[in-house]
Amino acid sequence: DHLEDLVTERTKALEIANGLRAKGTPLGAIDILIAAMCLNRSARLITKDNGFKFIQVVSPDFSLEVR
């Protein structure tokens, strides 16, 4: 269900954002939403942005490849 996916992604995004803030490494909202969408879909993110590595600290299931 599309609405359920949106709620799940927003909830995960808030968890990520709160975890990052607690660690002193806040990121932008768009990056956090991208990570939440990847987590919800069990998708791997391939990027050149090293900032996404901070998300793996608070969400170890986040699959990331930085090139």
Side-chain angles (χ1 to χ4, degrees):
D1 178 61
H2 182 66
L3 182 58
E4 186 176 313
D5 285 343
L6 286 174
V7 171
T8 300
E9 288 164 0
R10 303 259 193 247
T11 301
K12 188 63 181 173
L14 286 171
E15 291 171 4
I16 293 168
N18 289 336
L20 290 169
R21 257 193 308 278
K23 297 274 185 189
T25 54
L27 292 178
I30 299 301
D31 288 351
I32 292 169
L33 282 171
I34 290 168
M37 286 187 268
C38 288
L39 283 161
N40 190 45
R41 292 165 174 76
S42 299
R44 180 176 190 82
L45 177 64
I46 300 171
T47 182
K48 292 182 179 184
D49 186 346
N50 283 320
F52 283 96
K53 290 181 179 180
F54 294 114
I55 294 173
Q56 286 183 308
V57 173
V58 297
S59 191
D61 292 340
F62 179 54
S63 181
L64 175 68
E65 181 179 334
V66 178
R67 293 185 176 176

